Amino acid sequence: MIAPGSTIGIVGGGQLGRMLALAAAQLGYECHVYAPDAESVAAQVSARFTQGAFDDEAALARFAAEVDVATYEFENIPTAPLRAMAGIVPLHPPVEALETAQDRLEEKGFIQSLGGRPAPYAGIDDLAGLEAALAGIGAPSILKTRRFGYDGKGQVRIEAPDEAAAAWDAVRGQPSVLEGFIAFDAEFSILLCRAADGEIVFWDSPRNRHEGGILVASSVPAGPGLGKAIAEGRALADRIAETLDHVGVMAVEFFAVGGEAIFNEMAPRVHNSGHWTIEGARTSQFENHVRAICGLPLGATGLASPRIEMTNLVGAEAGGWREILADPAAHLHLYGKADARPGRKMGHVTRLLND
Ligand code: AMP
């Protein structure tokens, strides 16, 4: 067990790390953030900060030697230096989970091996391959780079087969996956936390709404008609966590179609669709992640209110903080980012509702 008073190392310096560090502080831990940019919103609320590149194995090894346990809050980190870190200090979640999630093609194959159902897909390495795959999967479909995509980046929608060349240019010829477009009834995510002893807790599943590939809002409960799909999603997420021997929070995103759960993607970390748990659940995803990686008992995940709405504040929307503060149901979170660029997640607001 890593007792309160110890130091947690967080690789990655964004808002997920910031909220993890705040939860860790509440439990009496200190956090040491490692991130490449001089400005880190996680470092703003942490005891220590090391600026370093994610591929600087020597610097990450020094960092590992200075903390008692380590985790990561960002997915696009090379896994070799993380593997080396794991030889120096306990590192959770396991690097295998990150490796699986980093490559959309491998991720889908892994999910199928566990009996899960992704959208129809094909791996794409060149334009001829894309044209052939489009003939099979059809349009509309979505071309996604295998690696380094997030918040809708590295994705292009294909409405008709004659758009293949333009789409291939748009992903700059990177190895990709073509996915059939799913006319879903709703999107939801499974949020779980697994302890080192194998105990798994789930939070209620939020219904998620995306625009332009970015999460706009999460609502709990997810609403009528999703129970069967959520149960299927839970069973799959449970198998994923067990198979990877995952420790910490994991989120798995799904499309609900006619009562079935179509796998979209998994994240071996705390997740935007779980931000509502800070005020909306007995124990937040951030606190339970800290508890799991430190070997503490996991906290209860029940709802703190009959209905919870989380809305992201993207770009200039964060400027509306005065009105949000005037709403007694609203809990405002601003991430301390200086530059409100369009499409950038600047904060979120969670409303606890009784109706
Ligand atoms: P992703 O980054 O892959 O999770 O995609 C972001 C969002 O784009 C998803 O949450 C969906 O709203 C939409 N999307 C992605 N892939 C598909 C698909 N195959 N069919 C329908 N919508 C999709």
Side-chain angles (χ1 to χ4, degrees), residues 36-79:
D37 297 328
E39 293 294 319
S40 155
V41 297
Q44 283 174 8
V45 302
S46 295
R48 290 193 61 193
F49 176 45
T50 296
Q51 185 183 359
F54 287 138
D55 60 0
D56 187 339
E57 196 160 327
L60 274 166
R62 282 195 299 276
F63 168 73
E66 290 177 3
V67 301
D68 299 305
V69 61
T71 190
Y72 50 86
E73 62 91 73
F74 182 64
E75 271 177 64
N76 293 327
I77 301 174
T79 51

Side-chain angles (χ1 to χ4, degrees), residues 87-111:
I88 300 168
V89 70
L91 175 79
H92 307 293
V95 181
E96 293 70 31
L98 185 62
E99 247 162 6
T100 307
Q102 275 182 347
D103 185 323
R104 289 188 189 273
L105 190 59
E106 283 187 21
E107 181 185 59
K108 289 179 199 301
F110 171 68
I111 291 303

Side-chain angles (χ1 to χ4, degrees), residues 10 15-29 31 41-42 44-46 278 284 286-287 290 333-335:
I10 302 174
Q15 67 267 18
L16 300 179
R18 178 182 177 98
M19 289 183 271
L20 268 176
L22 292 170
Q26 186 181 329
L27 292 179
Y29 293 92
C31 285
V41 297
Q44 283 174 8
V45 302
S46 295
I278 296 176
S284 77
F286 300 101
E287 179 173 337
V290 170
H333 296 254
L334 294 174
Y335 302 150

Side-chain angles (χ1 to χ4, degrees), residues 6-263:
S6 308
T7 299
I8 299 173
I10 302 174
V11 183
Q15 67 267 18
L16 300 179
R18 178 182 177 98
M19 289 183 271
L20 268 176
L22 292 170
Q26 186 181 329
L27 292 179
Y29 293 92
E30 290 200 348
C31 285
H32 183 166
V33 169
Y34 182 101
D37 297 328
E39 293 294 319
S40 155
V41 297
Q44 283 174 8
V45 302
S46 295
R48 290 193 61 193
F49 176 45
T50 296
Q51 185 183 359
F54 287 138
D55 60 0
D56 187 339
E57 196 160 327
L60 274 166
R62 282 195 299 276
F63 168 73
E66 290 177 3
V67 301
D68 299 305
V69 61
T71 190
Y72 50 86
E73 62 91 73
F74 182 64
E75 271 177 64
N76 293 327
I77 301 174
T79 51
L82 281 184
R83 238 179 236 298
M85 270 184 77
I88 300 168
V89 70
L91 175 79
H92 307 293
V95 181
E96 293 70 31
L98 185 62
E99 247 162 6
T100 307
Q102 275 182 347
D103 185 323
R104 289 188 189 273
L105 190 59
E106 283 187 21
E107 181 185 59
K108 289 179 199 301
F110 171 68
I111 291 303
Q112 284 178 308
S113 78
L114 297 180
R117 295 181 284 190
Y121 71 95
I124 307 294
D125 293 312
D126 51 33
L127 179 55
L130 175 57
E131 285 167 347
L134 266 171
I137 291 172
S141 49
I142 303 187
L143 186 64
K144 302 180 178 179
T145 57
R146 281 176 63 168
R147 304 175 75 87
F148 304 123
Y150 68 99
D151 284 350
K153 295 185 175 65
Q155 298 193 10
V156 52
R157 189 158 160 176
I158 301 179
E159 300 292 345
D162 65 3
E163 293 171 14
W168 189 239
D169 278 352
V171 299
R172 300 198 313 277
Q174 295 176 78
S176 295
V177 176
L178 182 72
E179 265 183 49
F181 188 82
I182 303 294
F184 52 76
D185 304 322
E187 292 187 80
F188 67 91
S189 46
I190 301 293
L191 304 166
L192 66 79
C193 185
R194 185 172 181 272
D197 67 3
E199 181 193 3
I200 292 186
V201 294
F202 291 91
W203 284 267
D204 280 32
S205 276
R207 176 188 290 245
N208 301 322
R209 196 157 56 76
H210 293 82
E211 272 171 27
I214 299 185
L215 182 69
V216 173
S218 295
S219 315
V220 181
L226 296 185
K228 190 160 162 278
I230 288 173
E232 182 187 335
R234 250 191 204 203
L236 177 61
D238 189 293
R239 287 198 294 283
I240 297 171
E242 285 295 332
T243 305
L244 293 170
D245 204 13
H246 191 84
V247 173
V249 169
M250 168 178 284
V252 189
E253 294 183 84
F254 290 93
F255 306 119
V257 187
E260 295 185 348
I262 304 297
F263 171 86

